[in-house]
Amino acid sequence: MKIAIVGTGYVGLVSGTCFAEMGMEITCVDTDNRKIDSLKNGIIPIYEPGLEELVKRNVEEGRLHFTTDLTSCLDDVEVVFSAVGTPPDEDGSADLKYVLDVARTFGRHIKKYTVLVTKSTVPVGTAQKVKAAIREELDKRGCDVEFDVASNPEFLKEGAAIKDFMSPDRVVVGVESERAKELMTKIYRPFMLNNFRVLFMDIPSAEMTKYAANAMLATRISFMNEIANLCDRVGANVDMVRKGIGSDARIGNKFLYSGCGYGGSCFPKDVKALAHTAREHGYTMQVVEAVERVNELQKSVVVEKLQQSLGDLRGKVVALWGLSFKPETDDMREAPALVIIDRLLEAGAEVRAYDPVAIPECQRRCAGKAIYYAQSPYDAATGADALALITEWKQFRIPDWTRLQAAMRGNVLIDGRNIFDKEEAAAAGFLYRAIGK
């Protein structure tokens, strides 16, 4: 089976590579010449565990191809996946420019029945706009080529994307015809031989499912951050509260961890877009809008705790462990670290930062800012008055307390992800502060 995937960002590259790994012939398309040249040479533009090896193997075995020209492969493929970016506009809405560009190219050049599947996260109603754009281009050509549109939102977790794609807990597909349903069944059956968990539904429901899922997860995080902030004020321990409520089968224990806020390419953007879609239809989603407000405030909690512990931050040296929005990725989109760095620099503090993979990305995003990028966690801590853990990379979880104490000038430790043992840290001489403990 031959498939084209437009967009070689996180979703497009992971999807294309995993489809190829399952034996399909995949052509990944991108307008960025440098990115395509790099991919052809085995250089991966994103960090995702296991991805580089999969790309190289499938390129070598002739199943995975890269090009800048979608039209060069349209005659051969049965399905085109659109995995282009949908960046947020200033009002929070999703920018559909690239999605509609793909639709127009598709409409200008298809010569036989082909399905265009939207894999990008798009607002409800996008499929109708895509369909109209294709039909408009076909009308200009005076053609009546049959086609279908479908929605197949992704639910990949950065850092575990390959496992999620190869062994999904469910695949959501919105279709309008049996013919499209049969093609999508053919594509996903190899991934689910033991338990076929493709949920077919109408396209608007599929589009809404993606936003609803991310908004629900973001809500749980913001809710627990609110509980943690109250725990700080009343003397409760949020870890105990989490265990207590997570034991309730109606609630469960996933996504109940408090910290210094969520970031990434999905939750912030999708929460904003869902709220904007509601406003466009004359409805205000009070809970969803509160989730976003809580999260933005939470990104400043670490700095507030530093100020409470150190007082005036002018001239103080603060070490940051972790820069990416979560472990096992170099993604810093909407990362709490960006807010924390800005707040610290504005307060006159000196910032020493370390991350296993995200330093190049931070250098790009924070170009011109006075940040010392360390070679190791203990290099970052050298001479620091305080250490703040921002991203819970595994290598930070059991620090050498003696070495850390010897490296630092002060003893303030702010645990922005609640991963350290309070008694251990205190016994090593640290003034330990966490989120909600």
Side-chain angles (χ1 to χ4, degrees), residues 111-229:
K111 297 174 183 176
K112 60 176 178 57
Y113 175 79
T114 314
V115 179
L116 178 58
V117 183
T118 301
K119 204 151 188 63
S120 309
T121 301
V122 295
V124 177
T126 299
Q128 293 306 311
K129 295 178 182 178
V130 167
K131 198 173 181 179
I134 296 170
R135 179 58 61 197
E136 182 181 344
E137 295 299 330
L138 288 172
D139 289 345
K140 288 179 185 177
R141 293 167 55 194
C143 294
D144 192 25
V145 182
E146 287 189 87
F147 71 93
D148 265 309
V149 297
S151 174
N152 177 213
E154 55 82 22
F155 297 94
L156 305 178
K157 297 187 293 294
E158 292 190 37
I162 292 171
K163 179 180 180 297
D164 286 349
F165 199 100
M166 300 300 280
S167 302
D169 52 13
R170 85 291 198 199
V171 173
V172 172
V173 180
V175 291
E176 293 181 326
S177 75
E178 279 300 314
R179 193 174 182 183
K181 182 178 179 180
E182 288 172 9
L183 260 181
M184 296 303 289
T185 299
K186 182 179 177 182
I187 289 172
Y188 281 110
R189 183 179 288 118
F191 295 88
M192 300 181 168
L193 291 177
N194 295 325
N195 185 9
F196 193 70
R197 298 177 300 283
V198 178
L199 305 177
F200 286 104
M201 59 187 69
D202 61 275
I203 291 178
S205 295
E207 292 172 334
M208 179 61 82
T209 296
K210 168 66 176 184
Y211 281 106
N214 279 352
M216 172 60 80
L217 296 174
T219 299
R220 288 171 70 96
I221 294 170
S222 282
F223 174 79
M224 285 308 295
N225 282 335
E226 290 260 79
I227 294 297
N229 294 340

Side-chain angles (χ1 to χ4, degrees), residues 66 112 401:
F66 299 100
K112 60 176 178 57
W401 294 113

Side-chain angles (χ1 to χ4, degrees), residues 202-364:
D202 61 275
I203 291 178
S205 295
E207 292 172 334
M208 179 61 82
T209 296
K210 168 66 176 184
Y211 281 106
N214 279 352
M216 172 60 80
L217 296 174
T219 299
R220 288 171 70 96
I221 294 170
S222 282
F223 174 79
M224 285 308 295
N225 282 335
E226 290 260 79
I227 294 297
N229 294 340
L230 184 57
C231 284
D232 271 337
R233 288 159 173 78
V234 301
N237 185 331
V238 73
D239 283 348
M240 298 297 103
V241 176
R242 174 177 54 81
K243 291 174 184 177
I245 66 174
S247 300
D248 188 325
R250 297 168 299 175
I251 297 172
N253 57 14
K254 300 291 179 64
F255 278 80
L256 292 182
Y257 291 88
S258 55
C260 53
Y262 60 75
S265 62
C266 294
F267 288 4
K269 175 174 68 72
D270 293 353
V271 168
K272 288 184 179 74
L274 184 59
H276 182 270
T277 297
R279 290 194 297 271
E280 281 189 320
H281 290 80
Y283 182 67
T284 300
M285 299 187 79
Q286 305 284 357
V287 172
V288 171
E289 294 197 0
V291 166
E292 181 189 354
R293 289 196 302 273
V294 168
N295 189 59
E296 288 308 305
L297 291 171
Q298 197 69 17
K299 291 179 181 180
S300 296
V301 164
V302 165
V303 177
E304 290 166 6
K305 288 182 179 292
L306 285 167
Q307 289 170 326
Q308 291 164 6
S309 301
L310 296 174
D312 190 346
L313 293 180
R314 279 178 297 182
K316 298 296 194 301
V317 179
V318 179
L320 302 181
W321 279 7
L323 296 167
S324 56
F325 87 94
K326 64 178 286 189
E328 302 300 335
T329 181
D330 62 350
D331 195 343
M332 286 191 67
R333 284 173 286 185
E334 302 283 345
L338 294 172
V339 174
I340 292 166
I341 287 170
D342 283 345
R343 288 281 310 274
L344 288 173
L345 294 177
E346 288 166 6
E350 179 183 331
V351 175
R352 299 174 63 89
Y354 175 76
D355 188 284
V357 300
I359 284 177
E361 179 64 9
C362 193
Q363 289 171 324
R364 185 183 72 82

Side-chain angles (χ1 to χ4, degrees), residues 321 377-378 381-385 387 399-413 424-431:
W321 279 7
Y378 300 99
T382 300
D385 296 290
L387 166 66
D400 182 332
W401 294 113
T402 302
R403 184 180 177 187
L404 185 59
Q405 187 185 51
M408 291 178 63
R409 181 169 66 187
N411 69 338
V412 173
L413 175 60
E424 242 181 50
F430 287 94
L431 175 61

